[in-house]
Amino acid sequence: MLLRAKHSPDQISGALKLEGVNISHESIYKHIRADKNSGGSLHKSLRINGKRRYRRRCKQSRPGKIPHRIDIQHRPKIVNQRNRYGDWEVDLIEGRKGTGFLLSLYERKSGLGKLAYLSNKQSKTTAEAAIKALSGYKVKTITYDNGSEFSEHTAINKKLGSKSYFCAPYHSWEKGGVENFNGLVRQYFPKGSDFRLISVEALQHVENEINHRPRKRLGYLPPSRLEFRLKTDSVNELSKNAENIL
């Protein structure tokens, strides 16, 4: 059921309209309320179910520690318009202390998200994972925050043919796409989760489920329907060589 896959009532309504079925999101909410009143659990699948979630504050940024850092103010204006494929945003999601991280990658035009597990956030580990995750995709720009884990960004650029840009200190909203994607991932892996327990299959399932949700700004198409537009023209072997680049 789409609600169990964490599709919002608006997403469900919009996607059904593309198939010629007219059900308003208000009707879906009424059904959820009725189910809750009768002891059902559909309401638990809603992203916000009575609890307000606050976006975490940015930690102290230290742009001076990142070599060859280029500020986001110098990023091409076309990236803001989201009318071309290949502009990515990258971030880390932290698990329970000592249990690793998730590297999250988000493509601005299609809304496609990618995930990779990291046992640590050393810059070499992060760079290798980013190259492997994005190999075979169009990558024109990558936008980061100022965490030292991204200090090997030039090595990523060298292999992917991309250019990197960094948010201003405390301005996480400048990469709001990946921040929102992180919020969707947190539905499955709440704060305090032991990331060592996440299997490759489970991580792939979460990535697929999120990418198959219809998006209003895409005319209720899911990002997965646009993934082919992100693929490069030839088979990319970068992931096989990632461990040798640094």
Side-chain angles (χ1 to χ4, degrees), residues 29-235:
Y29 275 116
K30 288 180 181 178
H31 174 70
I32 294 172
R33 285 194 293 270
D35 177 77
K36 181 180 180 180
N37 292 336
S38 62
S41 60
L42 288 178
H43 65 285
K44 294 181 179 180
S45 296
L46 295 175
R47 184 176 180 190
I48 298 177
N49 46 60
K51 298 179 181 179
R52 182 168 295 276
R53 295 172 171 82
Y54 296 92
R55 182 173 293 176
R56 62 175 173 80
R57 292 180 178 272
C58 274
K59 57 187 177 183
Q60 181 68 34
S61 298
R62 298 169 182 168
K65 289 194 172 185
I66 298 177
H68 309 293
R69 176 187 180 277
I70 301 177
D71 194 85
I72 195 171
Q73 66 178 322
H74 300 296
R75 191 177 69 178
K77 301 301 182 184
I78 192 174
V79 179
N80 295 331
Q81 299 167 7
R82 292 196 300 195
N83 61 6
R84 71 175 186 182
Y85 294 100
D87 296 307
W88 295 81
E89 299 172 358
V90 177
D91 201 8
L92 287 190
I93 304 173
E94 186 172 2
R96 195 173 73 199
K97 187 174 181 179
T99 68
F101 305 82
L102 295 181
L103 178 68
S104 58
L105 309 100
Y106 175 86
E107 202 279 324
R108 288 176 55 84
K109 180 173 173 61
S110 66
L112 189 80
K114 303 288 292 179
L115 292 169
Y117 172 74
L118 305 179
S119 59
N120 61 72
K121 62 174 184 176
Q122 295 177 5
S123 58
K124 181 176 180 179
T125 302
T126 304
E128 290 175 351
I131 291 169
K132 183 176 181 180
L134 294 179
S135 64
Y137 288 97
K138 296 175 182 176
V139 187
K140 298 179 183 296
T141 68
I142 305 177
T143 301
Y144 306 91
D145 62 29
N146 296 288
S148 61
E149 60 268 22
F150 302 123
S151 61
E152 295 286 353
H153 64 100
T154 55
I156 298 173
N157 291 341
K158 182 178 180 180
K159 283 298 180 180
L160 298 180
S162 55
K163 295 183 178 180
S164 51
Y165 300 91
F166 290 80
C167 297
Y170 303 105
H171 284 205
S172 63
W173 52 267
E174 291 179 323
K175 54 178 182 63
V178 74
E179 293 280 339
N180 182 66
F181 178 65
N182 290 351
L184 300 178
V185 175
R186 280 296 191 190
Q187 288 183 272
Y188 300 87
F189 310 122
K191 288 185 177 181
S193 297
D194 187 338
F195 283 180
R196 295 171 301 184
L197 303 178
I198 304 174
S199 66
V200 174
E201 293 76 17
L203 196 61
Q204 187 64 57
H205 171 76
V206 169
E207 180 183 303
N208 289 342
E209 193 161 280
I210 294 175
N211 286 330
H212 279 78
R213 292 181 195 168
R215 305 294 168 82
K216 186 174 183 178
R217 73 174 181 86
L218 299 177
Y220 291 101
L221 290 175
S224 58
R225 288 278 296 274
L226 302 174
E227 186 173 9
F228 76 97
R229 297 185 180 274
L230 288 168
K231 295 291 187 177
T232 53
D233 296 331
S234 60
V235 177

